[in-house]
Structure formats: structure tokens, C-alpha cells
Amino acid sequence: MTTIRIRRGINGARYAACSNDGSFIRNFNRLADVREHWKLEIKWGRVRLVRELDKQPDLSKMDEGKTALETFLRAAYGRR
């Protein structure tokens, strides 16, 4: 079973869906939108939603990806 953690949103959204380890998946404006997005998986018993509205998403993996992309672009196109 996959656990999706619902936390405080980023960039103006009210809620953020996060994986079990807390890494960011996607923003949502309503809790109903979260349930609608994973509707079939919840019905099949593959996904469980857990509300953690007092926590922020863990953005460290996103920061690592941005750094890697910037490094690649600088190597490919030079500094501008």
C-alpha cells in the first residue's frame, strides 16, 4: 500500500501531496481534489491518504535536481 501525505502547500497552493518519505509530488487547492486524483487507487486499496497539515514538504530532492540541471546547462552552453 502506498501512503500519500497531505501537507501544507507551496507557491500559493493550500495543500501539497507528498510521498511517504515527505518528498513533494504535486500541489492541490482542495482536499476533494486530492481524493479525486487518487480516486481509483483509494477504491482498490492501493493508496492511503494521511493528513499532516502541520508540516511542509521536503524539497531537498527538488533542490538536488535543480542543481544538477543548472550544472548540465552550464557545461553544455557555457556561462551566460
Side-chain angles (χ1 to χ4, degrees):
M1 176 175 281
T2 304
T3 302
I4 304 294
R5 300 186 181 279
I6 308 304
R7 296 183 173 181
R8 280 188 282 168
I10 57 174
N11 296 333
R14 293 187 63 172
Y15 306 103
C18 301
S19 62
N20 196 29
D21 64 351
S23 59
F24 176 77
I25 298 174
R26 183 177 168 187
N27 276 327
F28 292 94
N29 287 320
R30 298 181 313 154
L31 288 174
D33 294 339
V34 177
R35 292 191 58 78
E36 183 66 29
H37 185 76
W38 280 287
K39 182 179 181 179
L40 286 176
E41 289 85 354
I42 293 169
K43 183 178 177 181
W44 295 334
R46 294 184 182 173
V47 171
R48 180 178 67 153
L49 299 178
V50 176
R51 293 182 190 173
E52 294 181 342
L53 301 176
D54 58 336
K55 295 183 180 180
Q56 290 275 14
D58 181 19
L59 301 177
S60 62
K61 289 184 181 180
M62 287 180 60
D63 294 338
E64 291 173 7
K66 287 179 185 178
T67 304
L69 180 61
E70 288 174 359
T71 303
F72 171 76
L73 292 175
R74 283 193 186 115
Y77 299 107
R79 294 185 182 259
R80 292 186 183 190

